[in-house]
Every structure is written in structure tokens, then in C-alpha cells.
Amino acid sequence: AEMFGQLSTSLEAAWSKLRGEEILTKENIVEPMRDIRRALLEADVSLPVVRRFVQTVSDQAVGTGLIRGVRPDQQLVKIVNEELVKLMGGEVSDLVFSKSGTTVILLAGLQGVGKTTVCAKLCFYLKKLGKSCMMVAADVYRPAAIDQLTILGDQVGVPVYKEGTEVRPSQIAKNGLEEARKKKVDVVIVDTAGRLQIDKAMMDELKEVKQAVNPTEVLLVVDAMTGQEAAALVTTFNIEIGITGAILTKLDGDSRGGAALSVREVSGKPIKLVGRGERMEDLEPFYPDRMAGRILG
Ligand code: GDP
């Protein structure tokens, strides 16, 4: 299933209602705007975001007037496109690297969202940018997570720093960073423990790890399948531990697009990267304009 497929189809209904019209008016956009509102809600975009979006697009549409040679439906598509791009943050939000020495990227996320996979994918991605990497296994609750990271590390040709499950995650992270610095590794990625749900112990641990390694990037990995819940999670993690952005995974699944469209507006934090598959190469920057383009077909 193509993400946004349903959303694109639903939006078609909005444009079709403007066929035969000469210009956009307060009256003739009522029905199309209702369709847009419904389409976004069905895509699981958060309600306040939908409200603001519909209001902004309506205001602009009525103000456009007659543009020679451009049909009203095309005008509305153009406005929606521009506002979708803005909604998703406008520009691509690049990863930040420290100016000198080793850059630390801390990864957080609930269990099962694809965090461990992202850790390795990120190495694969960074290696293509010419950066050397090291992964640190700071998830001490699931021994399987350490094994998984080791296997993935072999796959992408990146060393994994580990100390088993008996050492404090913050200590492992600190030692891992020291090792990386000694070896002049460009980027160290710290994989932390996820839980099924947010709990205080997890947040406290993340804060402690963050304090221990002073990361340049703190990225929350969220699952696109959870829709607007992903945006709520980004907000909570940002308030609790302070994050620099999100990585949205499983865009290749049946998600309806609500996460991609809500995260930035709800949390104020950008989606920096997206995962669209289980292979190591399936991680790429989040391009708001390309996403909008896919929605509008
Ligand atoms: P963690 O518990 O957050 O570390 O999650 P894992 O990295 O172990 O991933 C959980 C499952 O999701 C695994 O089966 C992954 O192969 C799968 N997965 C991760 N990212 C993606 C993605 O972008 N698309 C798809 N389809 N599956 C993914």
C-alpha cells in the first residue's frame, strides 16, 4: 500500500467540485474545504493541525482572485501544496555534526518502532557521506538487542561497542564515546532501551545517558503506523528530555500519513529522516516538498 494513497484519492473529490467554476469564492470553496478536512482527518492528522490548515488554505483561496489561464481547482491544488510543504517544515532538516571531533547521535524510541534497525541504517547512510561510525549498545534490558545490533554492525561494516547488560547505560555510552574519540571515529550512534510505553524509568535513563555524552543530535524514532500518536510522542519526549528531531519509520507500510503531516506542527521538531523498508539502504532525508508532491499526485 502506498502511504498517502487514500489521502490523494480523497483529495481528488475536493478538486473535482471546482470543475466549471471561473474563480475561487467564499461560497464555492466550502464543499472542497470540507472534503480536504475530511481527507486529512481520515489520514489521522491531528485535529488542531487540520483546523489550522483548513483555515489557512481557505483564507488564501478566497484572496487569490482571478489568475488568467489557471483553473480554480489548479489554484486550490497549488495553495494546498504550498501549505502542506510548510506544515511539514518547509525545508529538509539536515543532520547536524559537531564542528570538530566525534559527533554523538542519541537514538530514543519505544520498543518495536525500528530503533535498532535505524541505528544500523544510519551508519550505512553516514558511511555513504564518507563518515566513519561506531554504534554503542546501551540497551541493557534486552540481551537480544545487543546481539541484533552486533549482527547489523557486521552487515554494514561498523564496530559495535558493548559491555553486556550489567553496566549502567550512561556508563556504557560514556565509555563508548571515549573509545570512539580515541579511534577518531566521526560519528557515534548510541542505541538506548525502548519500552512498550513511556515510563519514568525510561525517561530518567535517557536523561542520564544524554547528560553523560552531550549529544549533538537526540533523535526520537517513531513509527508512521501510529499516525498522530507519533506527533504526541515527539512532543512528550521533547518536553521530557529535549530532542533535536524525529526519524519516521515504516513509511512503506499501511500508514495513512498522519504522522508525517502532524509531527512538525504538533511538536515543533522536524522529521529529519524517514525509513521506508527493512533494508539498510531504506533510510533517507525527509523532503517536505517531495512528500507534498506524493500527496497531490
Ligand atoms: P526496536 O525494538 O525499535 O529496536 O525495533 P527493531 O529495529 O527491532 O524493528 C522492529 C521490526 O520492524 C523489525 O522486524 C524490523 O525489520 C522492522 N522495521 C524497522 N524499520 C522498518 C521500516 O522502515 N519498514 C518496515 N517495513 N519494517 C521496518
Side-chain angles (χ1 to χ4, degrees), residues 110 112-117 121 142 148 250 252 275 277-278:
L110 296 183
V113 295
K115 184 167 45 58
T116 309
T117 312
K121 281 176 172 174
R142 288 188 310 140
Q148 190 190 349
K250 309 191 190 179
D252 53 315
E278 294 182 82

Side-chain angles (χ1 to χ4, degrees), residues 17-25 28 71-73:
K17 288 187 181 137
L18 288 165
R19 298 275 149 73
E21 297 287 338
E22 300 270 309
I23 56 168
L24 294 170
T25 66
N28 70 14
R71 296 196 326 248
D73 57 332

Side-chain angles (χ1 to χ4, degrees), residues 96-105 123 126-135 158-159 176-177 179-189 216:
V96 176
F97 300 98
S98 60
K99 293 200 177 58
S100 61
T102 303
T103 296
V104 180
I105 300 178
C123 290
L126 293 169
K127 276 181 78 176
K128 274 195 296 184
L129 297 182
K131 299 192 182 288
S132 59
C133 299
M134 178 187 270
M135 297 192 274
V158 166
L177 174 57
E179 172 92 357
R181 282 195 173 128
K182 234 182 271 167
K183 294 190 168 152
K184 302 216 182 309
V185 170
D186 295 323
V187 185
V188 51
I189 302 169
T216 307

